[in-house]
Amino acid sequence: MSTIQDSPTAADSGASASKSFKASLAERGAAAISAERVAAVVTAVLRGIHEAVSEYQVTYPEYQAAKAWMIEVGETGEWPLFLDVFVEHVVEEVASRTQHGTKGTIEGPYYLPAQARLGARASLPRRPSEKGTPLIFTGQVRDIDGTPLAGAEVDTWQADADGYYSGFAPHVPEGNLRGVVVTGQDGRFEIDTIQPAPYQIPHDGPTGKLIEAAGWHPWRPAHLHLMIRAKRHRTITTQLYFTDGEWLDSDIAQATKPELILNPKTDSDSVARAEYDFQLEPA
Ligand code: MBD
Ligand code: FE
């Protein structure tokens, strides 16, 4: 295990996730939402809370505990983590109703823009001492009608073999296991990386404490994150999981889909090889 000094805390990752989210908002600009829609959605959310309070006869001490918990979520910067774990999967399900091609799933709190741009045969940046089973991930990006898309971007990010993401754990160097891989003339890519570990929600923060208080498990199955972009096509944000992976059937973030499971084959060289093709619809 890592030393005390190296040990990342929930506050490290939470604060970084809030900071990067705010930076991405500044870039995208705030959405214009009508008063009617704000009133309708907020009324429905509050109705749900009121019903829970009434149905479970929530007491004053419980109400104060909830307030204290929410204050702590804000202070530790864990709103991105909490919301992406417990809410984003439904927002994604709604968005996916109009999306064709490769299935999407949630982005989560750990995407960082502007990573190293790499050629079609890429090795993700990593430490000389990087642990983990080598993984070679290949595939092709195509249009919905099967035409290969040259110059498409396969923007990928993943946890290391201990389950930590660069940019959100102080002991992992910036840009580690992240990169924007650009497909060749044939739309193909080959990414040399390592197998990520399952992700555990930090147990020293309010999200982890809530999970523990409820008696749930804090795990997401091992996954690769991907954002696939091509000119004049709709971007797909997705994740790929591993067949037989632990927690595949009980992802705390409810973000797995049967179409998004890799089946790597390991040769005698002990390198795992997996293949997945992406299809993008016109924008
Ligand atoms: C993750 O790694 C993740 O992908 C999501 C969705 C939430 C928390 C951590
Ligand atoms: Fe993740």
Side-chain angles (χ1 to χ4, degrees), residues 102 134-142 154 186-193 195 224 226 228 238-243 258-267 271-279:
T102 302
L135 170 68
I136 294 178
F137 170 49
T138 58
Q140 189 182 39
V141 182
R142 296 191 289 264
V154 179
D186 54 2
R188 293 192 176 277
F189 62 88
E190 178 178 308
I191 301 173
D192 182 323
T193 183
Q195 290 216 222
L224 304 173
L226 298 133
I228 315 291
T238 194
Q239 299 180 34
L240 293 172
Y241 304 91
F242 298 89
T243 193
E259 299 87 347
L260 297 177
I261 298 173
L262 293 173
N263 189 198
K265 292 281 176 277
T266 304
D267 292 344
V271 175
R273 288 183 172 77
E275 198 171 347
Y276 200 88
D277 295 341
F278 299 94
Q279 286 205 293

Side-chain angles (χ1 to χ4, degrees), residues 81 84-85 106 108-110 165 199 201 220 223 225 239 253:
L81 175 67
D84 293 351
V85 167
I106 66 177
Y110 300 141
Y165 285 88
Y199 176 85
I201 310 290
R220 297 211 62 224
H223 55 279
H225 287 273
Q239 299 180 34

Side-chain angles (χ1 to χ4, degrees), residues 117 141-145 147-154 180-185 187 227-236 279-283:
R117 263 183 98 78
V141 182
R142 296 191 289 264
D143 196 348
I144 209 96
D145 63 15
T147 310
L149 293 171
E153 294 178 355
V154 179
V180 182
V181 179
V182 181
T183 62
Q185 280 312 311
M227 214 177 267
I228 315 291
R229 300 184 208 90
K231 288 197 181 85
R232 298 177 301 279
H233 290 79
R234 182 167 166 179
T235 298
I236 284 177
Q279 286 205 293
L280 303 191
E281 67 178 339

